[in-house]
Amino acid sequence: PAEVRIIEERAVGPSLGLDSIKKGLLASAIGFGLTVAFVVIWYKFSGLVAPVALLANIVLVLGSMALLEGPLPLPGIAGLLLTVAMAVDANVLVYERIKEELRAGRTMRAAIDAGFSRAFLTIVDSNLTTIITAVVLYKFGAGPIRGFAVTLIVGILASMFTALFGCKTLFMATLWAHRVFKGRELTRISI
């Protein structure tokens, strides 16, 4: 048997917790802004599609958390940030696949279709393993860890939806709009 002695004890008041949440939200906003800037600079026009999907992802996560009446403490904010990072990763996978298809000489529409279909399994695989980890965290965690896990699960599901279906819809709408308003097929999107 080992003796247990309390060496230090701390209590966090509501003002300190509120300050931490404000700093977490500020860090989230800065991280989101830098991520959007990088994606837009690197992928040009196509990089504009990713932030729209990211915003839709955040709205879906926050809406789902409100529907579930789940709080968004600091671990939840961390789960939301991880979700945004994984959503960007999915967009990068799709964009790189589209680039490969364009280099192979496919039309823009065929390259977009092939890019999304070729990236699909990779995105599902990486997100599924993260969801499994989050389920384990939820099952064996307590309190804040469970909040992180719930936010992460909801966020990953929203991320997969926005990356695989939302982005593709935006790309296809761009192709359609170009054909309708310009009278010809779009042959190139900066990517």
Side-chain angles (χ1 to χ4, degrees):
E3 178 185 336
V4 177
R5 293 181 325 182
I6 297 175
I7 296 173
E8 183 178 348
E9 187 175 317
R10 293 183 187 200
V12 177
S15 63
L16 183 58
L18 182 61
D19 186 49
S20 296
I21 289 174
K22 285 181 181 178
K23 286 181 180 178
L25 291 173
L26 177 63
S28 300
I30 292 170
F32 182 80
L34 290 173
T35 301
V36 167
F38 172 77
V39 171
V40 169
I41 289 168
W42 191 262
Y43 290 107
K44 299 166 188 66
F45 170 78
S46 300
L48 295 173
V49 172
V52 172
L54 290 176
L55 285 173
N57 184 13
I58 290 171
V59 167
L60 285 172
V61 172
L62 293 177
S64 298
M65 294 304 289
L67 186 66
L68 295 171
E69 296 180 2
L72 195 63
L74 282 176
I77 294 171
L80 187 61
L81 280 174
L82 183 55
T83 295
V84 168
M86 292 195 69
V88 170
D89 181 53
N91 286 323
V92 168
L93 285 170
V94 168
Y95 292 170
E96 291 302 319
R97 295 288 189 193
I98 292 172
K99 277 183 175 180
E100 289 174 8
E101 297 300 323
L102 288 172
R103 281 192 290 261
R106 292 189 186 243
T107 66
M108 196 69 222
R109 184 180 187 90
I112 290 171
D113 282 335
F116 276 92
S117 66
R118 288 185 61 207
F120 181 82
L121 286 179
T122 305
I123 292 168
V124 169
D125 180 46
S126 69
N127 287 315
L128 189 59
T129 56
T130 304
I131 287 174
I132 291 169
T133 304
V135 167
V136 171
L137 281 174
Y138 183 82
K139 175 74 175 153
F140 297 108
I145 300 299
R146 284 184 142 192
F148 172 80
V150 168
T151 306
L152 187 59
I153 291 168
V154 169
I156 293 300
L157 293 173
S159 163
M160 285 174 39
F161 175 76
T162 58
L164 294 171
F165 302 107
C167 284
K168 186 172 183 179
T169 301
L170 288 172
F171 273 115
M172 292 304 180
T174 302
L175 294 178
W176 174 83
H178 193 274
R179 187 175 60 242
V180 168
F181 295 113
K182 297 278 185 165
R184 58 185 160 77
E185 289 290 326
L186 184 64
T187 57
R188 204 80 172 140
I189 291 179
S190 59
I191 192 165

